[in-house]
Amino acid sequence: MKTSRSEAARSSRRPLAVVPDRDCPLCSRLVAFREANRTREPSWHNAPVAPFGDLEARLLIVGLAPGMQGANRTGRPFTGDYAGDLLYSTLLEYGFARGTYQARPDDGLQLVDCRIANAVHCVPPQNKPLPVEINTCRQFLVANLASMPNLRAIVALGRIAHDSVLKPLNLKGSQAPFGHGAVHQAGRFKLYDSYHCSRYNTNTGVLTPDMFRSVFAKVKAGLD
């Protein structure tokens, strides 16, 4: 059956999905890992993790990928592992969340003027996505950016998140080099860089809670 010109036009205007389907087939290595995890832990989420928070928010936080014991298990970004402990306590402190974080998706925690997404939506082996997987999944990050009409600030947690955000913002790495605490202007957006709030970074002293809080203090001041 032929598609009319008007139908084709409507189709071309449909917004891109902001999260992959549960059985997204785009990255064969991640699909195989997902299936193995579903067999081993059938009660876990074991699927692409949807962003958390309101599309009307002015702040978007971009992480790397779901953690095996965290979001891949619980189905909510940064929920169930140490990275979430530091992230959500900081968001609560600066008014970007309300409620009590209890490391589970039904704890009632709500984000305030804030949304959280990942550069890669499926958990990768050893928490290390391949460049091709990052590039393939970027379409969903682009869709999130395009779907947030009030977006003004983006926090990139780590270099991979930073690099993944640069392309949709039409920035080159030389224009916006990654550095903890750095702030880059991209049209109406400000991109704030932070080391990732992983246990490895905090245990080794690469990132301290005060260093992490300083990033969100800048974000808060910039939005006020």
Side-chain angles (χ1 to χ4, degrees):
M1 181 175 69
K2 291 185 178 180
T3 301
S4 71
R5 189 171 298 176
S6 61
E7 287 173 334
R10 285 195 298 272
S11 177
S12 67
R13 292 194 297 267
R14 289 173 187 160
L16 292 171
V18 297
V19 63
D21 292 337
R22 175 172 174 78
D23 296 309
C24 178
L26 295 178
C27 301
S28 58
R29 187 180 78 117
L30 301 188
V31 170
F33 194 53
R34 177 201 307 153
E35 293 302 325
N37 290 333
R38 286 178 178 177
T39 298
R40 185 174 60 252
E41 299 287 353
S43 65
W44 288 12
H45 177 71
N46 289 323
V49 175
F52 175 36
D54 194 344
L55 284 169
E56 300 295 321
R58 293 181 296 166
L59 169 62
L60 176 66
I61 299 168
V62 181
L64 171 58
M68 173 65 82
Q69 300 287 333
N72 180 66
R73 176 174 60 86
T74 65
R76 191 177 75 180
F78 290 91
T79 298
D81 55 18
Y82 176 80
D85 293 345
L86 180 55
L87 175 61
Y88 286 118
S89 66
T90 304
L91 295 181
L92 285 162
E93 180 178 350
Y94 285 94
F96 292 114
R98 60 172 169 257
T100 302
Y101 173 67
Q102 297 179 347
R104 62 178 197 269
D106 62 349
D107 56 15
L109 183 80
Q110 294 180 317
L111 297 184
V112 178
D113 203 17
C114 176
R115 185 169 168 86
I116 303 173
N118 280 314
V120 175
H121 288 72
C122 293
V123 60
Q126 300 178 326
N127 203 35
K128 294 179 180 178
L130 300 177
V132 66
E133 294 161 352
I134 297 166
N135 291 335
T136 298
C137 210
R138 187 176 291 113
Q139 62 183 291
F140 303 104
L141 180 59
V142 170
N144 269 277
L145 293 170
S147 299
M148 298 182 69
N150 302 319
L151 182 63
R152 287 176 50 195
I154 302 167
V155 174
L157 300 180
R159 183 179 298 274
I160 290 177
H162 168 92
D163 290 346
S164 200
V165 168
L166 291 186
K167 289 189 177 180
L169 294 183
N170 294 316
L171 286 176
K172 296 179 180 178
S174 58
Q175 296 173 301
F178 176 79
H180 180 82
V183 183
H184 312 283
Q185 192 73 43
R188 67 186 180 94
F189 306 119
K190 281 187 177 180
L191 172 61
Y192 298 80
D193 287 339
S194 173
Y195 293 134
H196 195 283
C197 49
S198 66
R199 183 183 292 275
Y200 176 82
N201 281 345
T202 56
N203 282 352
T204 58
V206 170
L207 178 69
T208 66
D210 283 344
M211 289 170 63
F212 196 59
R213 285 194 291 267
S214 71
V215 172
F216 286 91
K218 290 181 183 178
V219 175
K220 184 70 172 178
L223 290 175
D224 285 344

